[in-house]
Amino acid sequence: MKRKEIALFMTVGTGNNFNTNEEGFKIQARKLYSTINKIYPNYVVFFASDESEKTIKHIEELFKLDNDEFIPDEDYKIFQITAIDDFNSCFETIESAVWELDYEENSKKYEIIMDYTLGTKTMSAAMASCGMFYSKALISIGGDRSTGEVSAGTEIINYQNLYKIYDKFSLMRIRNNFNSNRFMQCIDILNYIVDLNIHKDSLLNLCKAYYSWDNMEFEKAYDHLTKVNTNQIEFVEIKKDIKKNLNALGNIVKSKSINLKNCYILASLINNSIRKAEEYKYDDAIARLYRSFELIAQIELTKYNIKSSDIDVSILQENNVSDEFIKDLENTKEDGKIRIGLSKDFLLLNELNNDLGKYYVENESKIKNLTQKRNNSILAHGLESQTKEDFDSFLEIVMILARKLDKDMNKFIKETRFAKYDIKLKINAI
């Protein structure tokens, strides 16, 4: 593949560190000229103040002494920086050059190398930042500094490897994506991290755990979360939350108490719906709330050894369910089984003189209105979109019933709430 032509970006100083400005300009010219000869670019871009443009004239003279030419526009271009000690001004000027040479539609694409050795400290900082931001190669000139400055003839080009900085930025992105439940994006970013000091394996297991949990794959989630070493620095601030989450998943996967297991699953589903609502996906969130609503009744019915998917009439008779209600259920029998849905689940609980069933009957009109809205959702049977108000109203009902289902439901909800990083740095919150 043909290599891109090289454009060398160079900051030009004011020459004020020397006995006279003119002598300073000449010394800088020789330094810049030496670097140009070592890199041998196709094009040079100088960032200079009005005063320091004199340096570039001396560079032209050095080319002539070598029987060569250094022609404006053809071989080089000057971007003037008027405020040499204003970081934003310097950055924007350098950035505009990057766009002109590398991003504009009709521009000639260059491999850009940035030399930030000379120029004011602000100019150098701005170029280094711009190079890091746009992933351009950064170089500085080193050599023998026994006299204070790099001695002529000893110059060495130092390419700066910024992988640690890029990996730190990647960690910031991972924390943000993790907090937004974008776990697959976290995994993709982690695959590009190269710093061996970052505990990549634990971070991968962390993201895979919550990705699996978000998809209700509890055993996978538990397996991955057990492999996270919470003593490592990346997990200090979420260590306690991970411990709670691990306890919740452990109860789902290993608990011998069916009721405890089911309550943690219910709490996970409710939290899943809340996360979707936080992403403004209200149709998705309400679909999960509807399943939570249905699950509450199913969990309560298991306490009577009743399965909604296969009603045993003899158990209903033992619990003094009315003949009329039983007859109504038997009329729905298909393939030899009686299967009932959400409404009938709660009505059956009412027949059993259960508090959840009583609450449903007392609030049946309000509940049917909410479930009808869900049925009209584009994710159910209709084409309507749901709103935050619809979600909040539905969540209120579900939480009332969930707390009636088990007195410890608030604890289950808290333990199944996903761990979140505390975004302390402003740049991290963008």
Side-chain angles (χ1 to χ4, degrees):
M1 186 172 69
K2 186 178 178 181
R3 184 183 177 184
K4 283 184 179 180
E5 293 188 353
I6 295 173
L8 178 61
F9 283 23
M10 309 186 86
T11 49
V12 182
T14 59
N16 290 333
N17 292 334
F18 304 95
N19 294 330
T20 67
N21 278 0
E22 195 62 31
E23 179 61 23
F25 294 140
K26 288 181 179 179
I27 291 172
Q28 283 202 81
R30 288 195 289 270
K31 292 176 181 293
L32 294 168
Y33 181 69
S34 174
T35 302
I36 292 168
N37 277 325
K38 283 181 169 64
I39 300 293
Y40 204 72
N42 303 90
Y43 197 64
V44 180
V45 178
F46 295 108
F47 299 91
S49 65
D50 182 48
E51 179 70 12
S52 60
E53 285 186 26
K54 296 174 183 177
T55 297
I56 298 158
K57 295 299 179 184
H58 289 298
I59 295 174
E60 289 180 2
E61 293 171 6
L62 290 170
F63 270 94
K64 287 178 184 177
L65 289 173
D66 278 344
N67 297 314
D68 201 351
E69 291 182 310
F70 196 51
I71 304 168
D73 295 327
E74 185 178 326
D75 295 317
Y76 75 89
K77 181 176 182 177
I78 300 172
F79 279 77
Q80 192 176 101
I81 295 178
T82 55
I84 60 176
D85 293 313
D86 184 313
F87 181 90
N88 289 327
S89 177
C90 293
F91 184 92
E92 287 172 359
T93 302
I94 297 166
E95 182 185 43
S96 68
V98 172
W99 276 90
E100 183 175 312
L101 270 68
D102 201 22
Y103 287 94
E104 288 183 5
E105 186 176 348
N106 297 318
S107 66
K108 188 176 183 179
K109 300 299 185 287
Y110 285 92
E111 177 186 340
I112 295 174
I113 297 174
M114 295 185 169
D115 175 12
Y116 61 92
T117 307
L118 299 177
T120 64
K121 289 181 174 64
T122 305
M123 290 164 65
S124 297
M127 179 172 280
S129 298
C130 192
M132 180 183 67
F133 190 84
Y134 284 99
S135 299
K136 303 303 179 187
L138 287 173
I139 64 170
S140 61
I141 308 304
D144 180 9
R145 293 183 179 272
S146 56
T147 60
E149 296 287 330
V150 174
S151 301
T154 70
E155 296 92 348
I156 298 171
I157 296 174
N158 297 313
Y159 279 82
Q160 305 299 329
N161 193 330
L162 303 181
Y163 76 92
K164 280 186 175 289
I165 294 175
Y166 290 132
D167 282 353
K168 291 294 182 185
F169 272 109
S170 291
L171 283 177
M172 289 181 181
R173 289 174 61 204
I174 287 165
R175 289 158 66 95
N176 259 327
N177 281 311
F178 183 87
N179 278 9
S180 300
N181 310 311
R182 295 192 291 265
F183 306 113
M184 285 307 298
Q185 286 92 327
C186 293
I187 293 167
D188 290 340
I189 295 167
L190 277 165
N191 287 328
Y192 288 97
I193 284 182
V194 296
D195 188 351
L196 296 177
N197 291 316
I198 292 172
H199 300 102
K200 186 172 170 178
D201 287 344
S202 277
L203 283 166
L204 280 168
N205 275 306
L206 179 82
C207 297
K208 288 176 181 178
Y210 286 92
Y211 174 77
S212 298
W213 196 355
D214 205 35
N215 287 289
M216 298 295 169
E217 296 176 316
F218 302 113
E219 289 189 9
K220 282 186 181 179
Y222 181 72
D223 180 56
H224 284 300
L225 204 56
T226 57
K227 294 174 183 175
V228 176
N229 184 349
T230 56
N231 293 320
Q232 293 166 342
I233 190 169
E234 291 88 351
F235 310 101
V236 171
E237 64 193 278
I238 58 172
K239 183 175 181 176
K240 290 181 180 178
D241 290 334
I242 290 175
K243 185 177 179 181
K244 290 176 186 175
N245 289 168
L246 195 57
N247 179 67
L249 285 170
N251 277 302
I252 292 173
V253 173
K254 300 191 297 183
S255 178
K256 293 180 180 178
S257 168
I258 297 299
N259 184 66
L260 186 64
K261 176 189 177 88
N262 287 339
C263 283
Y264 271 110
I265 290 174
L266 172 64
S268 294
L269 191 54
I270 292 171
N271 271 316
N272 191 303
S273 73
I274 293 170
R275 289 194 298 275
K276 294 301 177 185
E278 288 171 350
E279 296 171 18
Y280 309 104
K281 298 175 180 176
Y282 299 116
D283 290 273
D284 225 342
I286 287 173
R288 284 159 170 74
L289 274 185
Y290 188 88
R291 177 64 187 119
S292 302
F293 196 12
E294 185 179 49
L295 184 57
I296 289 169
Q298 291 172 346
I299 292 171
E300 189 70 4
L301 285 171
T302 60
K303 297 174 184 178
Y304 299 88
N305 293 318
I306 296 172
K307 290 183 180 180
S308 296
S309 58
D310 188 6
I311 299 292
D312 186 337
V313 171
S314 65
I315 295 176
L316 303 189
Q317 291 168 338
E318 289 171 9
N319 284 278
N320 300 316
V321 173
S322 68
D323 292 338
E324 184 181 353
F325 191 87
I326 292 173
K327 185 177 180 181
D328 183 45
L329 293 184
E330 286 181 323
N331 289 335
T332 66
K333 186 179 289 187
E334 287 184 6
D335 303 324
K337 289 186 178 182
I338 299 173
R339 301 178 181 87
I340 59 176
L342 183 147
S343 179
K344 279 287 198 296
D345 282 339
F346 280 101
L347 291 175
L348 174 55
L349 286 169
N350 184 59
E351 285 283 324
L352 294 165
N353 203 31
N354 181 278
D355 286 344
L356 272 72
K358 290 177 183 178
Y359 180 87
Y360 177 87
V361 171
E362 290 166 3
N363 296 274
E364 191 168 8
S365 177
K366 181 180 179 180
I367 291 170
K368 281 191 173 181
N369 181 50
L370 290 171
T371 56
Q372 184 58 46
K373 283 189 176 183
R374 173 264 172 189
N375 291 336
N376 292 335
S377 165
I378 197 166
L379 294 184
H381 312 297
L383 294 172
E384 296 179 8
S385 293
Q386 306 301 292
T387 66
K388 183 181 186 301
E389 290 71 26
D390 295 329
F391 172 79
D392 289 341
S393 298
F394 209 152
L395 179 62
E396 182 183 5
I397 292 291
V398 168
M399 287 306 303
I400 289 171
L401 285 166
R403 292 184 182 111
K404 287 181 178 293
L405 175 72
D406 196 290
K407 61 182 177 59
D408 290 324
M409 186 53 62
N410 285 341
K411 170 178 174 285
F412 303 145
I413 293 287
K414 187 175 181 180
E415 287 188 8
T416 55
R417 191 174 294 135
F418 282 9
K420 298 286 183 188
Y421 281 101
D422 181 10
I423 307 298
K424 295 177 181 178
L425 297 178
K426 287 184 179 179
I427 192 172
N428 229 350
I430 295 173

